[in-house]
Amino acid sequence: MKFRHIFSALIVGVTLTAPISAVAALPSSVDGKPLPSLAPMLEKVTPAVVNISVAGTHTQRQRIPEIFRHFGAPSESVRERPFKGLGSGVIIDADKGYVITNHHVINNADEITVTLTDGRSFDAKKIGSDEGTDVALLQIEADDLTAIKLGNSDDLRVGDFAVAIGNPFGLGQTVTSGIIGALARSSLNIENYENFIQTDAAINSGNSGGALVNLNGRLIGINTAIYGPNGGNVGIGFAIPINMANNIIDQLLEHGKVQRGVLGITGRDLNSEVAKAMDLDVQKGAFVNQVFADTAAADAGIEAGDVITEINGKPVNSFGQLRAQIGTMGAGSKVKLGLLRDGSKKTVTVTLGGSDEQTASAQDIDKRLLGAKLETTKEYKGGIAIVELEPGSPAARVGLKKDDVIIGINKQRVKTISDLQDILDDAKGTIALNLVRDGTQIYLFMR
């Protein structure tokens, strides 16, 4: 009775026109033609999707109020708690054993084990990881691996079929299907750089790092997050576009870290209100509020009031999408941007700067510092000066003030914008900013 109740729940809304026994005996072909099936494609693709299990220790630090620090008590308590976790990954190079997954799957892990569909398990080495985009690259030493072929996520359209493969709830490899429901999703506050593919192919806990493929079996995305009040699938899942993830992987392999491209602007999403106020004929794009001097944008001739509508010939729907795509391209990359200025279309070629330059907008570094313009300084033997600050911005709400100089983060010395980027990319939880203000050192804490 219990099984029958479960089965009934699974087929609610389906009208059966024949007994169950007849359904089970449906033919494999009609008029000599095989029934449509994803099985042939999946037989080639699923060996490239792996299960990942991790183990490690979380270190929790808690400041002890000064009133309790008598008799030599420490200023903070430190607790270490072991953890285990499960996720998924995708083999992208069989010869070198490269496996792509999410940063959050392997973050803080001391042990990473990759299990193949044939049952073999291998210890994995972390090649590199980027918290800002939630992309990580692992490597295993194994023979007879199957790698997946990469697709082109820039060619995706809403309505294209998609198949998600992963390890939900640790049940083992599972395949679900659906369509692409939306593209270039941003402003979700899931990651720092967001340009997600949205799909209704069921994605659940444990699918993170798994494959989103098209009907040709080409990898188009890395499953990353779900939208649901209770953490379960409600038909809205998000994947990192493979082109974006591949940009990160290339940088990790070449430099050992991500060297983000920097445009040197501040801006906002273009909406109907902004379009009306500025008398614009477009409703979507990235509106440029400000262009900083001596940056890639300034050198290319981009001006405040421009609307960026295309990047490398592809539409730009929002400032968040533009920021994600620029931030995942390497410093020195050349990018063609389509602009709308005073009703006329223009195309400019930009050579992206890097975050180790002397000047950068904080939005290119970390969303918690939005509203601040940063500049390296030789004062205090090197640091990051806050040369401009927008009132009411996230950076201002943290407690930063104009002319503050950041000299350390979490007890690590900071001298350049590149130092700042590297530390913030890896930082978790509460972050301690060590500042010099009016010649006096102070600490600010932000989450």
Side-chain angles (χ1 to χ4, degrees):
M1 291 299 292
K2 184 177 181 181
F3 172 80
R4 185 171 297 181
H5 173 73
I6 295 173
F7 181 78
S8 299
L10 292 174
I11 61 172
V12 168
V14 177
T15 301
L16 298 178
T17 57
I20 293 176
S21 59
V23 173
L26 284 173
S28 60
S29 63
V30 176
D31 295 332
K33 296 181 180 180
L35 293 174
S37 175
L38 296 176
M41 178 272 285
L42 290 170
E43 287 170 357
K44 298 177 181 179
V45 169
T46 50
V49 183
V50 303
N51 293 347
I52 296 177
S53 58
V54 300
T57 303
H58 281 306
T59 300
Q60 295 181 328
R61 299 179 181 273
Q62 184 174 4
R63 293 181 61 82
I64 298 175
E66 190 170 352
I67 193 173
F68 297 114
R69 295 184 200 168
H70 299 299
F71 309 110
S75 61
E76 64 178 11
S77 64
V78 179
R79 293 183 180 179
E80 293 187 346
R81 294 185 177 181
F83 72 90
K84 292 183 178 180
L86 295 171
S88 306
V90 189
I91 300 172
I92 56 173
D93 189 319
D95 294 332
K96 296 180 180 179
Y98 289 145
V99 178
I100 188 172
T101 186
N102 285 140
H103 167 85
H104 75 261
V105 170
I106 54 86
N107 188 35
N108 293 324
D110 300 317
E111 301 174 11
I112 305 173
T113 303
V114 170
T115 302
L116 310 182
T117 54
D118 62 13
R120 292 183 292 163
S121 293
F122 302 91
D123 292 334
K125 172 186 175 183
K126 186 175 82 170
I127 300 298
S129 185
D130 179 47
E131 182 182 7
T133 56
D134 204 10
V135 172
L137 182 66
L138 309 177
Q139 186 175 34
I140 59 175
E141 294 184 7
D143 298 324
D144 301 321
L145 295 177
T146 298
I148 201 166
K149 294 181 179 180
L150 303 187
N152 184 355
S153 53
D154 288 343
D155 290 340
L156 293 177
R157 299 174 301 171
V158 173
D160 285 347
F161 287 104
V163 178
I165 311 170
N167 177 34
F169 305 113
L171 293 171
Q173 192 174 89
T174 300
V175 177
T176 57
S177 65
I179 63 170
I180 303 298
L183 296 168
R185 286 294 196 208
S186 61
S187 302
L188 302 174
N189 295 319
I190 298 172
E191 310 298 350
N192 199 9
Y193 296 89
E194 298 180 341
N195 185 32
F196 290 119
I197 301 167
Q198 181 180 314
T199 181
D200 64 347
I203 297 174
N204 288 286
S205 178
N207 272 111
S208 291
L212 188 71
V213 303
N214 60 21
L215 294 189
N216 292 324
R218 298 294 181 111
L219 184 65
I220 56 174
I222 302 299
N223 300 324
T224 297
I226 56 177
Y227 180 87
N230 299 312
N233 173 63
V234 293
I236 300 179
F238 301 103
I240 302 167
I242 190 57
N243 291 12
M244 180 171 161
N246 207 31
N247 286 338
I248 298 298
I249 295 303
D250 287 344
Q251 293 180 60
L252 291 176
L253 289 173
E254 183 175 355
H255 307 293
K257 63 178 183 178
V258 176
Q259 297 185 340
R260 302 197 190 284
V262 174
L263 195 53
I265 64 173
T266 62
R268 57 170 297 164
D269 294 350
L270 181 67
N271 56 30
S272 58
E273 293 179 357
V274 175
K276 183 178 180 180
M278 298 298 294
D279 193 23
L280 298 171
D281 292 332
V282 293
Q283 301 297 319
K284 291 184 179 181
F287 184 83
V288 180
N289 287 343
Q290 181 180 9
V291 178
F292 295 113
D294 301 320
T295 61
D299 292 343
I302 297 174
E303 299 177 1
D306 286 347
V307 179
I308 300 175
T309 57
E310 291 184 352
I311 179 168
N312 290 334
K314 300 293 182 180
V316 171
N317 294 320
S318 66
F319 191 83
Q321 177 193 354
L322 174 70
R323 179 175 177 271
Q325 290 187 265
I326 293 296
T328 53
M329 295 177 178
S333 298
K334 289 189 176 181
V335 182
K336 286 188 177 181
L337 297 178
L339 309 176
L340 186 66
R341 179 184 299 166
D342 297 328
S344 299
K345 293 182 178 180
K346 297 175 64 70
T347 301
V348 298
T349 300
V350 182
T351 301
L352 299 179
S355 59
D356 57 349
E357 291 184 338
Q358 291 187 344
T359 303
S361 169
Q363 70 180 28
D364 295 315
I365 305 298
D366 191 285
K367 62 184 178 183
R368 291 165 291 194
L369 296 177
L370 285 171
K373 181 182 177 182
L374 312 175
E375 187 174 284
T376 58
T377 178
K378 293 182 180 179
E379 289 188 273
Y380 314 110
K381 297 183 180 180
I384 312 299
I386 312 298
V387 295
E388 293 181 13
L389 187 66
E390 296 178 12
S393 65
R397 291 197 296 269
V398 165
L400 288 172
K401 295 184 178 181
K402 186 176 180 296
D403 298 326
D404 283 350
V405 177
I406 301 173
I407 60 172
I409 298 178
N410 290 354
K411 295 186 177 180
Q412 298 181 66
R413 189 69 169 88
V414 171
K415 294 184 178 181
T416 67
I417 290 174
S418 182
D419 293 341
L420 181 70
Q421 177 77 77
D422 291 343
I423 296 173
L424 288 178
D425 280 349
D426 294 331
K428 283 285 191 181
T430 300
I431 294 172
L433 296 177
N434 185 197
L435 312 174
V436 178
R437 177 180 294 169
D438 298 327
T440 302
Q441 286 198 41
I442 65 171
Y443 279 92
L444 293 179
F445 295 90
M446 69 178 190
R447 290 190 61 84

